[in-house]
Amino acid sequence: MDLLALADFNLVARHGGFGRAARASGRPKATLSRRVAELEAALDLRLFERGGRLLKLTEEGRALFQRTGALLTELDETAAAIASGGDRPRGRLRVSAPLLFSQTAMGRIAAGFALKYPDVRLEVTTEDRPVDMVEEGYDLVIRVNPDPDESLVGRSFLRDRLVVVASPHLARPHLDRPADDRVVPAVVRGPAGGGGTWDVVGPAGRARIAVDPVLRLSSLVMVRDAVRAGVGAARLPISLVSHDLAAGTLVHWGDVEGPEIALWALYPSRRLLSARVSAFLDYLKEAFPAGAPEELAAYIGGA
């Protein structure tokens, strides 16, 4: 396969058209069109659907773009690193991170990383949905308790746990009794769920709290702020409320039963670990050396 033709194909696919690719690269549009046509002839495949002003990848073209785009980028960066006499991290680094972690810590982490590695162009996107790393062009994703995925590898860098908290002015259920018929007003995240009962572990052991969701909000920071105002109780990460608990603005009703919260940094298993991804993983380890909730709480307290 002609690597130059493959590189031109990726250039056109990335920019969504021959004209845009030509303007971005400074290369003649006719040259790009000819090289893509030669690649299609060599593979005996149609890589683009050409019609009107739109240029769309075919199914085969999309598969080729997904599998070769990152490899060509790594080849370019490796050549640049060798030419500069070292393997200093450089190039674009795209990261997807969950909402709460982004709101509380990612700004300071991204700034510190940018200062330490000025040749890396870091781009962070905030979203809780699962992303397709290859198709959407991410180098690394941060996820909470991710499902097993053979196509991804990585490491857990931070742990947290859920607790039930409330304003000290909210009547507290009797967790030391086998059951409590009193229904507690609750603030929950999301449009559904979170009602019924909460299983917690308190000083007297396990208990069950009956709750009535009186307020539903889309982010845990909003939930915390509403709980501070005394609307109801909530289940929140200990890192998000540790400063409130220490100050007495919130009180701890118990720990939520269940597995701990683990944040993972993941990247495609079939892709060589680039210098920029390795540097970002190391920087996360520096930021959270013990991976403990108290370390994340320190970021939140400094916000």
Side-chain angles (χ1 to χ4, degrees):
M1 186 181 297
D2 187 338
L3 286 180
L4 292 177
L6 184 61
D8 286 342
F9 158 73
N10 274 270
L11 181 67
V12 174
R14 186 164 61 250
H15 289 282
F18 290 103
R20 293 177 183 176
R23 288 190 293 272
S25 64
R27 301 186 59 207
K29 179 179 176 180
T31 300
L32 295 177
S33 179
R34 175 173 56 80
R35 285 199 174 274
V36 170
E38 290 172 353
L39 181 62
E40 289 179 317
L43 296 175
D44 195 22
L45 290 172
R46 178 179 293 181
L47 301 176
F48 290 105
E49 293 288 357
R50 299 168 175 83
R53 299 177 61 183
L54 297 178
L55 188 69
K56 292 185 178 180
L57 286 165
T58 64
E59 183 177 347
E60 294 80 6
R62 186 177 298 108
L64 183 65
F65 178 54
Q66 290 174 359
R67 296 179 184 181
T68 62
L71 293 175
L72 288 172
T73 299
E74 289 177 11
L75 284 173
D76 289 341
E77 292 174 358
T78 300
I82 293 173
S84 64
D87 196 23
R88 181 179 177 84
R90 64 181 67 246
R92 188 174 70 159
L93 176 62
R94 296 195 70 222
V95 176
S96 170
L99 177 62
L100 180 60
F101 184 72
S102 297
Q103 288 177 327
T104 56
M106 183 54 84
R108 291 171 61 189
I109 289 172
F113 182 82
L115 290 171
K116 187 172 182 179
Y117 299 101
D119 293 332
V120 177
R121 294 294 176 260
L122 177 60
E123 300 175 9
V124 179
T125 301
T126 297
E127 51 201 346
D128 287 326
R129 69 176 179 86
V131 299
D132 187 319
M133 292 190 63
V134 175
E135 183 172 351
E136 299 181 50
Y138 287 107
D139 300 289
L140 183 141
V141 298
I142 296 174
R143 286 295 174 262
V144 177
N145 293 347
D147 294 328
D149 189 333
E150 293 182 356
S151 67
L152 300 178
V153 294
R155 66 183 70 161
S156 173
F157 67 91
L158 189 61
R159 302 180 308 279
D160 211 336
R161 71 179 193 276
L162 287 177
V163 294
V164 175
V165 297
S167 165
H169 304 295
L170 185 68
R172 185 170 183 166
H174 300 288
L175 298 184
D176 56 339
R177 297 178 183 175
D180 189 356
D181 294 332
R182 184 178 182 278
V183 178
V184 174
V187 184
V188 299
R189 182 192 180 195
T197 59
W198 293 344
D199 292 323
V200 302
V201 179
R206 291 178 174 82
R208 181 162 290 176
I209 302 174
V211 297
D212 174 28
V214 297
L215 191 59
R216 299 181 184 274
L217 301 171
S218 62
S219 84
L220 292 178
V221 172
M222 293 168 63
V223 171
R224 180 201 59 189
D225 293 345
V227 172
R228 285 174 174 171
V231 176
R235 296 181 294 187
L236 289 167
I238 185 67
S239 62
L240 188 61
V241 296
S242 61
H243 291 279
D244 291 279
L245 296 177
T249 52
L250 294 177
V251 293
H252 178 225
W253 283 8
D255 291 357
V256 176
E257 280 198 305
E260 68 176 3
I261 302 169
L263 270 74
W264 284 73
L266 305 168
Y267 55 91
S269 58
R270 64 176 178 270
R271 187 181 300 174
L272 295 176
L273 187 60
S274 67
R276 61 187 184 278
V277 172
S278 181
F280 193 80
L281 292 172
D282 290 342
Y283 195 81
L284 288 176
K285 182 62 177 177
E286 293 175 16
F288 307 104
E294 295 78 13
E295 294 173 334
L296 180 55
Y299 274 84
I300 297 171

Coordinates of all heavy atoms in Angstrom, one line a residue, residues 227-259:
V227 N -28.5 20.0 48.8 CA -28.5 19.4 50.2 C -28.0 20.4 51.2 O -28.5 20.4 52.3 CB -27.6 18.1 50.1 CG1 -27.4 17.6 51.5 CG2 -28.2 17.0 49.3
R228 N -27.0 21.2 50.8 CA -26.6 22.2 51.7 C -27.7 23.2 52.2 O -27.8 23.7 53.3 CB -25.5 23.1 51.1 CG -24.1 22.4 51.0 CD -23.2 23.3 50.2 NE -21.8 22.9 50.1 CZ -20.9 23.4 49.3 NH1 -21.2 24.4 48.5 NH2 -19.6 22.9 49.3
A229 N -28.7 23.4 51.2 CA -29.8 24.3 51.5 C -30.9 23.6 52.3 O -31.8 24.3 52.7 CB -30.4 24.8 50.2
G230 N -30.7 22.3 52.6 CA -31.7 21.6 53.5 C -32.9 21.0 52.9 O -33.8 20.7 53.5
V231 N -32.9 20.9 51.5 CA -34.0 20.3 50.8 C -34.2 18.8 51.2 O -35.3 18.4 51.3 CB -33.8 20.5 49.3 CG1 -35.0 19.8 48.6 CG2 -33.8 21.9 49.0
G232 N -33.1 18.1 51.3 CA -33.2 16.7 51.6 C -31.9 16.0 51.8 O -30.8 16.7 51.7
A233 N -31.9 14.7 51.9 CA -30.6 14.0 52.0 C -30.2 13.5 50.6 O -31.0 13.6 49.7 CB -30.8 12.8 52.9
A234 N -28.9 13.1 50.5 CA -28.4 12.6 49.2 C -27.3 11.7 49.4 O -26.6 11.6 50.4 CB -28.0 13.8 48.4
R235 N -27.1 10.9 48.3 CA -25.9 10.0 48.3 C -24.9 10.7 47.4 O -25.1 11.0 46.2 CB -26.3 8.6 47.6 CG -27.3 7.8 48.5 CD -27.6 6.5 47.9 NE -28.3 6.6 46.6 CZ -28.9 5.6 46.0 NH1 -28.7 4.4 46.4 NH2 -29.5 5.8 44.8
L236 N -23.7 11.0 48.0 CA -22.7 11.7 47.3 C -21.3 11.2 47.6 O -21.1 10.5 48.6 CB -22.7 13.2 47.7 CG -23.9 14.0 47.3 CD1 -24.0 15.3 48.0 CD2 -23.8 14.3 45.8
P237 N -20.3 11.4 46.6 CA -19.0 10.9 46.9 C -18.4 11.6 48.1 O -18.6 12.8 48.3 CB -18.2 11.3 45.6 CG -19.3 11.4 44.6 CD -20.5 12.0 45.3
I238 N -17.7 10.9 48.9 CA -17.1 11.5 50.1 C -16.1 12.6 49.8 O -16.0 13.6 50.5 CB -16.4 10.4 51.0 CG1 -15.9 11.0 52.3 CG2 -15.2 9.8 50.2 CD1 -16.9 11.4 53.3
S239 N -15.4 12.6 48.7 CA -14.5 13.6 48.2 C -15.2 14.9 48.0 O -14.7 16.0 48.3 CB -13.8 13.2 47.0 OG -14.7 13.0 45.9
L240 N -16.5 14.9 47.6 CA -17.2 16.1 47.2 C -17.8 16.8 48.5 O -18.1 18.0 48.4 CB -18.4 15.7 46.3 CG -19.2 16.9 45.7 CD1 -18.3 17.8 44.8 CD2 -20.3 16.3 44.8
V241 N -17.9 16.1 49.6 CA -18.6 16.6 50.8 C -17.7 16.6 52.0 O -18.1 17.0 53.1 CB -19.9 15.9 51.1 CG1 -20.9 16.1 50.0 CG2 -19.6 14.4 51.3
S242 N -16.4 16.2 51.9 CA -15.6 16.0 53.1 C -15.3 17.4 53.7 O -15.3 17.5 55.0 CB -14.2 15.4 52.7 OG -13.5 16.2 51.7
H243 N -15.2 18.5 53.0 CA -15.0 19.8 53.6 C -16.3 20.2 54.3 O -16.2 20.9 55.4 CB -14.6 20.8 52.5 CG -13.2 20.5 52.0 ND1 -12.1 20.9 52.6 CD2 -12.8 19.9 50.9 CE1 -11.0 20.5 51.9 NE2 -11.4 19.9 50.8
D244 N -17.4 19.9 53.8 CA -18.7 20.3 54.4 C -18.8 19.5 55.7 O -19.3 20.0 56.7 CB -19.9 20.0 53.5 CG -19.9 20.9 52.3 OD1 -20.5 22.0 52.5 OD2 -19.5 20.5 51.2
L245 N -18.5 18.2 55.7 CA -18.6 17.4 56.9 C -17.6 17.9 58.0 O -18.0 18.0 59.2 CB -18.2 15.9 56.6 CG -19.2 15.2 55.6 CD1 -18.7 13.8 55.3 CD2 -20.6 15.2 56.2
A246 N -16.4 18.3 57.6 CA -15.5 18.9 58.6 C -15.9 20.2 59.1 O -15.7 20.5 60.3 CB -14.1 19.0 57.9
A247 N -16.6 21.0 58.3 CA -17.1 22.3 58.7 C -18.5 22.2 59.5 O -18.9 23.2 60.1 CB -17.2 23.3 57.6
G248 N -19.1 21.1 59.4 CA -20.4 20.9 60.1 C -21.6 21.4 59.3 O -22.7 21.5 59.8
T249 N -21.4 21.9 58.0 CA -22.5 22.3 57.2 C -23.3 21.1 56.7 O -24.5 21.3 56.2 CB -22.0 23.2 56.0 OG1 -21.0 22.4 55.3 CG2 -21.4 24.5 56.5
L250 N -22.7 19.9 56.6 CA -23.4 18.7 56.4 C -23.1 17.7 57.4 O -22.0 17.8 58.0 CB -23.1 18.2 55.0 CG -23.5 19.0 53.7 CD1 -23.0 18.3 52.5 CD2 -25.0 19.2 53.7
V251 N -24.0 16.7 57.6 CA -23.7 15.6 58.6 C -23.7 14.3 57.8 O -24.4 14.1 56.8 CB -24.7 15.6 59.7 CG1 -24.5 16.9 60.6 CG2 -26.1 15.6 59.2
H252 N -23.0 13.4 58.3 CA -22.8 12.0 57.7 C -23.8 11.1 58.4 O -23.8 10.8 59.6 CB -21.4 11.6 58.0 CG -21.1 10.2 57.5 ND1 -20.4 9.3 58.2 CD2 -21.4 9.6 56.3 CE1 -20.3 8.2 57.5 NE2 -20.9 8.4 56.3
W253 N -24.7 10.5 57.6 CA -25.7 9.6 58.0 C -25.3 8.1 57.9 O -25.8 7.2 58.5 CB -27.0 9.7 57.3 CG -27.8 10.9 57.7 CD1 -27.5 11.9 58.6 CD2 -29.2 11.2 57.3 NE1 -28.5 12.8 58.7 CE2 -29.5 12.4 57.9 CE3 -30.1 10.6 56.4 CZ2 -30.8 13.1 57.7 CZ3 -31.3 11.2 56.2 CH2 -31.7 12.4 56.9
G254 N -24.3 7.9 57.1 CA -23.8 6.5 56.9 C -23.1 6.3 55.5 O -23.3 7.2 54.7
D255 N -22.4 5.2 55.4 CA -21.8 4.9 54.1 C -22.8 4.0 53.3 O -23.5 3.2 53.8 CB -20.5 4.1 54.3 CG -19.4 4.9 54.9 OD1 -19.6 6.2 55.1 OD2 -18.3 4.4 55.2
V256 N -22.8 4.3 52.0 CA -23.7 3.5 51.1 C -23.0 2.1 50.8 O -21.8 2.0 50.6 CB -23.9 4.2 49.7 CG1 -24.7 3.4 48.8 CG2 -24.6 5.6 50.0
E257 N -23.8 1.1 51.0 CA -23.3 -0.2 50.7 C -23.1 -0.4 49.2 O -23.8 0.1 48.4 CB -24.3 -1.3 51.2 CG -24.3 -1.5 52.7 CD -25.0 -2.8 53.1 OE1 -26.1 -3.0 52.7 OE2 -24.3 -3.7 53.7
G258 N -22.0 -1.2 48.9 CA -21.7 -1.5 47.6 C -20.3 -1.3 47.3 O -19.5 -0.9 48.1
P259 N -19.8 -1.6 46.0 CA -18.4 -1.4 45.7 C -18.0 0.0 45.7 O -18.8 0.9 45.5 CB -18.3 -2.0 44.3 CG -19.7 -1.8 43.7 CD -20.7 -2.0 44.9

